[in-house]
Amino acid sequence: MEDPIQLKEEGNKYFQASDYEKALQSYTQAIKLNKDKTLQAVLYRNRAACFLKKEEYAKAASDASRAIDINASDIKALYRRSQALEKLGKLDQAFKDAQKCATLEPRNKNFQETLRRLGANIQEKLRIQFSTDSRVQKMFEILLDENSDKEKREKAANNLIVLGREEAGAERIFQNNGVNLLLQLIETKNPELILAAVRTLSGMCTGHKARATAILHYLGIDSICMWMSVDNEEISLAVCNLLQTITDCLLGQGKEEHHGKEEALVLDTKKDLRMITMRLLDMLVSKNVSGQGRDRALNLLNKNIPRKDLKDHDNSRSIFVIDNGLKKILKVVGQIPEMPDCLPLTENTQLTASVLLNKLYDDLRCDPERDNYRLICEEYIKSKIDPQDMDKTLHAVQIVSGVLQGPFDLGNKLLGMKGVMEMMVALCGSEREIDQLVAVEALIHASTKLSRATFIITNGVTLLKEIYKKTKNEKIKIRALVGLCKLGSAGGTDYGLRQFAEGSTEKLAKQCRKWLCNTSIDARTRKWAVEGLSYLTLDADVKDDFVEDEPALKAMFDLAKASDKTILYSVASALVNCTNSYDTKELVPELVQLAKFSKQHVPEEHPKDKKDFVVKRVKRLLKAGVVSALACMVKADSAILTDQSKELIARVFLALCEDPKDRGTIVAQGGGKALIPLAVEGTDVGKIKASHALAKIAAISNPDIAFPGERVYEVVRPLVSLLNTERDGLQNYEALLGLTNFSGRSDKLRLKIVKEKALPDIENYMFENHDQLRQAATECMCNLVVNKEVQERFVADGNDRLKLVVLLCGEDDEKVQVAAAGALAMLTAAQKKLCWKMTQVTTQWLEILQRLCLHDNMEVQHRGLVIAFNLISCDKELAKKLVESELLEILTYIGKQEDHPKKQHIISVARDCLTKCMDYELIKPLSQA
């Protein structure tokens, strides 16, 4: 259709039918094709009406303005713009348009009423504004008065924060010199006032680019970074959140802003973003910045520099940071806490810097960009290697060690630099403890790849053993032990670890547990003990002893709550080993026999790796509080909680959910909530494991308790993701059980399941040969057909949905019959069209219905009789068809039965059917017959 007038008429029809989306399409197409100005004005004002109905008020105001530009006296366009502006909160402009309408049509009562309403609203708005202005002024007076009562000050501070989060309040504070007054609060150096001021500024910046930009320029990025550098965790975090809020606004993230036609000022944010980035990079190497401040700067860079979606081709922010700040990040990575010239650091600083290195490297798009990154690293490391200055060389080794914890492939290339590996091994043999400490850590990180591990085994194992036996420094001793454990793991054999230190792996594990429980040892060293256990717990005897040691478990859980990347991975690895939730290859019996015949070694399952022992270990872990620890680990920052760690945690959760009796405990300790993000983000395997664990919980738990509030709707998608042929039967079955449970709770949940496109998959499982899958799918459909949208899909032409349900009613499986008959009873009760359709989908329909009505199972029989009643009630012709069949005899037989409490519901429905037939005069009462 290419006639604008016809398109306009088509749009009008759609509008009258309340199909605003199609009306929009017609009007838009007509606007593109039309060249007549008068018609163009009509099209714009009509499209404005559509936008009003769709609550897209900025677009409605814009279209109405275009119509008014063509015809200034277009009363409909003026009124529609007035309505849109009122919804956008621009009451004064809305009033002007309504005034014009009232001038053009003075007798129009609607316009007069609108004017009165808008006038009253403007007066109220002004009253609130003046009231807000005086409140703001009073709050600042209280806060800036040193003699004010402490309680009054706290109340004023909290009120100011709340006001700053509201758009109207934020604007009043901003317009009334509020930023300057907030700056005065920060300059008081009172921590409580500083926090209140910073949090108020964050609220004012949220979702408002212009205001955020103005506040950034007024405060100055140098001042903001200085406040973030202070050695006060709360203030540092609050300032970090403020800077993140400003950055979100500059990047165009956060709340959408609707300013209608007056969206005039376009701000160029690139300059401000670069200024923030440069200042954050400067913070990394400044001695005046606290460890917490450095962490905040690294976290902001981690969050805002690399692309969030690799489909976006613009990685210019990462390139800018690499060119201007990669050496600064490497300097942080190369710090040695035990050296006197070390920058202030926290336990997480260097690890967070390694994560940033990794994210920047992953964000590069081509080999030349990666080569540039590598060359900068190599150049920086070479500048640190000095045979005459051992301390400087030590920093070079530490940098390589840090890169190995970030972009591993790059770290491997750096290890290949001339003399780096030899330098590490040589430092292990040094007399200085600091040399040994740094070198052993570097060797541990380097030994992850088997090719490097082979070199270290050849050159370094003897040294590590010697260090372990001779050193009295616990920090070095524990690292040497972890190095040996890791080498054993990398090589696929124990390399004599069982004989090492004249003891077994149990003895080494016992030493690790001892270190772990020793709170006098620093947390960083104790974390190495956990990493040692993550390797040693591959031994069945070790894992069994470990879960028996409750103090060691609790010490490990406490460390896990500190949220460090290495500790999270190590704790998760140890728990995977203890719960045997790692993947195992099933041994083919024939191949085992063949291997034995050829006298090859066949690994046998350790007795303590059998199911009974695994179940006991799971129970002990639950008793020790493993769920709370895992829930805390999941809350860790995304820079710390890697996808690999998420997968391991998901595996542990799945193992913990195995016994239905334990699922209530898991939910009570926050396991249900913790599983949702694991099912949405991470590796494919991790998401599947987490979704399966959610399905296990959803299958038997009350959703209102397991996933309270809106959280339950987030669980639907992970459950639906398990409904495909790539998942195993158990995953399919438990997902269906979970969805059945959910679909029985509320229509909103049923609608969510439909929107997630689960219906075709559920229908497919209704065809399954597997009895339990077919039953679960049919029960799920039975609950879903209560939803009107699902019913409409059954009514629609060209599908066999109803036929499938009717045929399932004739199945031999009683549970399938119950579910299918229930679905059919609800469908025929809700949609009269389906009553007739049921008689057309299969010639067996009457035979199936008769079988249902005579069924031995009272539940099936009752549902069959309800279907019969629905068909009879639908139409006299259909009732006549049933009366002429053997069904009348069945109904008469049941209806004549004596009243019985257990069968009364069945007898009553049969009698209702007969009464309806009498009403139609298809049968006569017994007395008249």
Side-chain angles (χ1 to χ4, degrees):
M1 195 185 293
E2 292 191 4
D3 182 357
I5 296 172
Q6 274 187 286
L7 282 164
K8 187 199 84 167
E9 294 303 323
E10 183 187 69
N12 292 348
K13 284 178 187 176
Y14 283 132
F15 188 86
Q16 284 160 10
S18 300
D19 191 342
Y20 305 120
E21 194 57 50
K22 285 189 178 175
L24 261 178
Q25 289 171 11
S26 298
Y27 293 140
T28 303
Q29 185 65 16
I31 286 166
K32 287 177 183 175
L33 296 169
N34 178 55
K35 291 178 182 176
D36 180 2
K37 273 195 169 187
T38 308
L39 179 59
Q40 198 79 336
V42 174
L43 291 169
Y44 274 126
R45 80 177 183 215
N46 285 5
R47 195 169 73 169
C50 290
F51 283 129
L52 278 172
K53 291 290 185 183
K54 285 169 64 65
E55 297 181 8
E56 295 180 34
Y57 302 118
K59 291 179 181 177
S62 178
D63 269 7
S65 295
R66 287 172 179 173
I68 293 161
D69 288 343
I70 297 168
N71 179 6
S73 302
D74 190 329
I75 199 160
K76 286 184 180 179
L78 282 165
Y79 188 62
R80 282 166 195 170
R81 186 168 73 175
S82 175
Q83 288 176 299
L85 290 168
E86 183 182 356
K87 292 291 184 182
L88 289 167
K90 299 179 180 183
L91 301 181
D92 51 343
Q93 293 174 44
F95 186 84
K96 284 178 185 175
D97 281 344
Q99 222 171 14
K100 286 178 188 173
C101 292
T103 305
L104 292 166
E105 286 188 19
R107 293 182 182 179
N108 190 314
K109 288 181 181 179
N110 195 19
F111 296 157
Q112 297 298 335
E113 179 55 37
T114 302
L115 272 177
R116 275 195 294 275
R117 188 185 68 251
L118 286 169
N121 289 346
I122 288 167
Q123 290 300 316
E124 180 62 16
K125 187 178 177 182
L126 288 169
R127 188 187 66 75
I128 292 168
Q129 264 187 24
F130 290 132
S131 169
T132 305
D133 289 348
S134 63
R135 277 168 62 208
V136 169
Q137 194 176 349
K138 197 166 186 180
M139 283 178 214
F140 279 117
E141 282 173 8
I142 293 167
L143 290 168
L144 291 167
D145 183 0
E146 292 178 9
N147 300 317
S148 290
D149 182 57
K150 188 184 177 185
E151 198 174 316
K152 272 189 175 180
R153 267 189 162 192
E154 283 178 10
K155 192 176 178 182
N158 290 331
N159 288 341
L160 197 64
I161 293 166
V162 172
L163 203 60
R165 287 174 185 160
E166 298 167 3
E167 175 54 33
E171 190 58 28
R172 297 323 302 159
I173 296 170
F174 187 76
Q175 295 292 348
N176 285 284
N177 196 33
V179 180
N180 180 42
L181 294 169
L182 288 167
L183 189 55
Q184 287 180 43
L185 288 181
I186 292 170
E187 287 168 355
T188 61
K189 297 186 180 176
N190 180 321
E192 288 176 9
L193 295 182
I194 293 171
L195 274 173
V198 172
R199 286 169 181 166
T200 304
L201 286 164
S202 289
M204 291 170 67
C205 291
T206 303
H208 202 295
K209 189 189 286 185
R211 198 156 54 222
T213 307
I215 288 171
L216 172 67
H217 290 170
Y218 190 89
L219 299 176
I221 185 63
D222 290 338
S223 295
I224 295 172
C225 290
M226 181 182 71
W227 302 330
M228 195 164 68
S229 304
V230 298
D231 197 10
N232 180 308
E233 190 173 355
E234 262 196 304
I235 292 173
S236 180
L237 180 60
V239 178
C240 178
N241 289 337
L242 168 61
L243 196 50
Q244 181 60 58
T245 304
I246 291 170
T247 305
D248 285 343
C249 288
L250 297 179
L251 289 169
Q253 295 168 3
K255 290 193 300 186
E256 280 189 45
E257 295 178 68
H258 297 290
H259 297 301
K261 192 184 174 186
E262 288 74 23
E263 181 94 81
L265 189 63
V266 179
L267 299 164
D268 182 13
T269 59
K270 286 183 182 177
K271 190 177 176 183
D272 287 330
L273 285 167
R274 290 202 167 186
M275 176 179 70
I276 292 170
T277 304
M278 282 304 296
R279 193 64 190 88
L280 290 174
L281 290 169
D282 290 341
M283 281 180 72
L284 299 184
V285 291
S286 171
K287 283 200 169 186
N288 299 323
V289 175
S290 66
Q292 287 168 352
R294 211 174 312 280
D295 283 1
R296 306 290 180 221
L298 285 165
N299 286 333
L300 286 167
L301 291 166
N302 261 314
K303 190 169 182 180
N304 299 302
I305 298 304
R307 290 171 291 168
K308 288 178 175 62
D309 184 358
L310 294 179
K311 290 176 185 175
D312 175 13
H313 295 298
D314 182 16
N315 66 342
S316 58
R317 291 200 298 272
S318 289
I319 298 294
F320 179 79
V321 169
I322 290 164
D323 290 342
N324 295 277
L326 181 55
K327 290 182 180 180
K328 292 174 182 177
I329 303 166
L330 291 171
K331 182 173 180 177
V332 175
V333 165
Q335 294 299 297
I336 300 165
E338 291 76 12
M339 300 279 270
D341 62 342
C342 181
L343 294 168
L345 306 172
T346 69
E347 289 176 359
N348 292 329
T349 305
Q350 289 176 284
L351 208 53
T352 311
S354 293
V355 171
L356 178 57
L357 288 174
N358 189 49
K359 285 191 171 185
L360 291 171
Y361 191 74
D362 286 346
D363 202 39
L364 299 177
R365 293 173 54 210
C366 57
D367 286 342
E369 289 178 358
R370 282 183 276 273
D371 287 341
N372 177 53
Y373 190 113
R374 176 180 54 79
L375 288 168
I376 293 170
C377 291
E378 285 180 357
E379 182 190 322
Y380 189 73
I381 291 165
K382 282 176 186 173
S383 72
K384 295 291 176 188
I385 297 173
D386 184 353
Q388 307 301 318
D389 188 343
M390 192 53 73
D391 286 353
K392 208 173 174 186
T393 304
L394 210 54
H395 282 295
V397 173
Q398 184 78 331
I399 291 165
V400 174
S401 181
V403 175
L404 284 163
Q405 293 173 77
F408 193 84
D409 292 338
L410 174 65
N412 253 338
K413 287 174 183 173
L414 298 180
L415 283 172
M417 288 172 66
K418 189 178 177 183
V420 170
M421 288 294 289
E422 292 79 4
M423 189 165 55
M424 285 183 188
V425 174
L427 285 169
C428 280
S430 169
E431 293 296 319
R432 286 203 316 172
E433 287 187 343
I434 187 69
D435 295 347
Q436 291 179 6
L437 191 71
V438 172
V440 169
E441 274 197 33
L443 284 172
I444 291 167
H445 297 309
S447 63
T448 303
K449 285 275 186 183
L450 187 58
S451 58
R452 301 294 176 198
T454 309
F455 175 89
I456 299 162
I457 290 159
T458 310
N459 299 278
V461 168
T462 309
L463 277 171
L464 287 174
K465 286 183 179 181
E466 285 298 310
I467 289 170
Y468 180 82
K469 286 178 180 179
K470 289 180 180 179
T471 187
K472 290 180 181 178
N473 186 322
E474 297 281 0
K475 291 181 180 182
I476 299 170
K477 198 177 189 77
I478 195 168
R479 285 162 172 78
L481 172 60
V482 172
L484 288 160
C485 292
K486 196 163 186 178
L487 287 171
S489 170
T493 175
D494 61 8
Y495 288 103
L497 282 173
R498 283 187 172 276
Q499 290 73 41
F500 170 57
E502 299 173 357
S504 63
T505 48
E506 292 100 300
K507 190 172 179 180
L508 297 175
K510 190 176 178 181
Q511 180 60 57
C512 280
R513 298 205 309 271
K514 189 177 172 184
W515 280 322
L516 180 57
C517 295
N518 188 352
T519 51
S520 64
I521 298 174
D522 66 283
R524 192 177 174 197
T525 303
R526 288 166 66 215
K527 286 171 187 176
W528 281 102
V530 179
E531 186 161 355
L533 285 166
S534 71
Y535 297 110
L536 292 165
T537 46
L538 288 164
D539 184 294
D541 289 314
V542 168
K543 65 180 88 169
D544 221 51
D545 291 341
F546 182 36
V547 294
E548 288 283 2
D549 190 342
E550 200 167 319
L553 280 177
K554 287 190 173 175
M556 181 174 79
F557 296 157
D558 287 342
L559 284 172
K561 289 170 186 176
S563 302
D564 170 304
K565 177 185 167 188
T566 307
I567 192 70
L568 291 185
Y569 186 82
S570 300
V571 170
S573 298
L575 290 171
V576 164
N577 294 338
C578 291
T579 54
N580 284 36
S581 47
Y582 40 71
D583 292 327
T584 51
K585 288 183 181 178
E586 285 190 32
L587 296 172
V588 181
E590 291 81 3
L591 292 176
V592 171
Q593 291 300 321
L594 188 65
K596 285 181 178 177
F597 181 75
S598 59
K599 295 182 180 179
Q600 290 182 17
H601 172 67
V602 179
E604 292 184 8
E605 187 179 36
H606 193 286
K608 288 185 179 179
D609 274 333
K610 289 184 177 171
K611 190 174 181 180
D612 289 349
F613 281 91
V614 175
V615 169
K616 283 179 187 175
R617 287 200 292 271
V618 166
K619 302 286 182 190
R620 286 182 200 133
L621 287 168
L622 285 166
K623 190 180 174 184
V626 66
V627 176
S628 300
L630 291 171
C632 278
M633 290 162 72
V634 171
K635 289 175 188 172
D637 189 271
S638 58
I640 293 167
L641 186 66
T642 62
D643 286 349
Q644 289 73 25
S645 296
K646 286 178 188 173
E647 182 186 319
L648 295 175
I649 294 168
R651 286 176 181 274
V652 177
F653 264 125
L654 184 56
L656 297 174
C657 290
E658 193 59 38
D659 187 345
K661 292 176 186 175
D662 295 327
R663 292 173 199 170
T665 305
I666 292 164
V667 167
Q669 294 178 7
K673 181 182 176 183
L675 276 164
I676 296 170
L678 296 176
V680 176
E681 295 175 350
T683 64
D684 289 339
V685 173
K687 287 190 283 189
I688 292 163
K689 300 283 183 190
S691 298
H692 192 187
L694 280 172
K696 284 180 180 289
I697 292 170
I700 64 164
S701 305
N702 180 340
D704 299 333
I705 296 169
F707 312 105
E710 297 295 306
R711 200 171 292 142
V712 68
Y713 301 103
E714 296 175 48
V715 182
V716 173
R717 186 172 292 175
L719 298 189
V720 173
S721 72
L722 296 176
L723 299 183
N724 68 62
T725 50
E726 290 179 13
R727 309 283 85 83
D728 63 46
L730 183 61
Q731 290 168 341
N732 300 155
Y733 178 66
E734 291 185 317
L736 285 166
L737 290 183
L739 290 170
T740 302
N741 193 6
F742 280 16
S743 57
R745 302 305 294 183
S746 71
D747 201 55
K748 198 174 174 185
L749 266 172
R750 287 188 279 273
L751 197 61
K752 175 67 176 172
I753 293 167
V754 173
K755 282 185 176 177
E756 290 296 339
K757 300 178 182 175
L759 219 56
D761 294 319
I762 295 166
E763 286 166 356
N764 287 340
Y765 286 108
M766 290 167 74
F767 283 104
E768 268 285 340
N769 291 326
H770 194 288
D771 290 343
Q772 284 180 300
L773 279 174
R774 193 166 68 254
Q775 175 202 324
T778 310
E779 286 174 350
C780 189
M781 185 60 75
C782 179
N783 285 347
L784 286 170
V785 294
V786 180
N787 178 264
K788 208 164 187 179
E789 193 172 322
V790 177
Q791 292 167 11
E792 285 167 3
R793 295 191 186 201
F794 275 86
V795 172
D797 295 328
N799 72 78
D800 290 330
R801 290 187 177 95
L802 190 65
K803 182 179 180 180
L804 173 61
V805 174
V806 173
L807 292 173
L808 286 172
C809 288
E811 284 276 313
D812 293 331
D813 188 318
E814 211 167 88
K815 287 182 178 177
V816 171
Q817 273 189 309
V818 170
L824 194 55
M826 282 187 278
L827 285 166
T828 50
Q831 299 283 344
K832 286 189 176 183
K833 288 180 182 177
L834 292 177
C835 295
W836 273 109
K837 193 173 181 180
M838 177 183 162
T839 65
Q840 297 160 2
V841 291
T842 173
T843 54
Q844 300 169 44
W845 71 272
L846 191 53
E847 182 191 336
I848 290 167
L849 181 59
Q850 289 168 357
R851 282 175 60 193
L852 290 176
C853 294
L854 287 170
H855 207 284
D856 294 335
N857 183 318
M858 286 198 291
E859 198 176 353
V860 176
Q861 187 181 22
H862 178 252
R863 293 178 181 204
L865 288 164
V866 170
I867 296 165
F869 177 75
N870 294 338
L871 297 182
I872 291 167
S873 302
C874 169
D875 185 80
K876 186 176 178 180
E877 286 301 311
L878 191 51
K880 188 179 178 182
K881 193 179 283 192
L882 294 176
V883 166
E884 289 170 354
S885 73
E886 291 175 11
L887 189 67
L888 178 61
E889 196 177 330
I890 295 167
L891 294 171
T892 307
Y893 167 73
I894 298 167
K896 279 184 177 180
Q897 290 179 16
E898 291 183 12
D899 290 353
H900 190 285
K902 287 187 178 177
K903 295 180 71 178
Q904 195 57 47
H905 61 299
I906 293 169
I907 296 165
S908 296
V909 179
R911 289 173 183 172
D912 289 342
C913 290
L914 293 168
T915 304
K916 196 73 183 169
C917 290
M918 284 190 281
D919 292 343
Y920 287 143
E921 297 181 349
L922 296 173
I923 61 171
K924 293 178 181 178
L926 197 60
S927 57
Q928 293 178 14

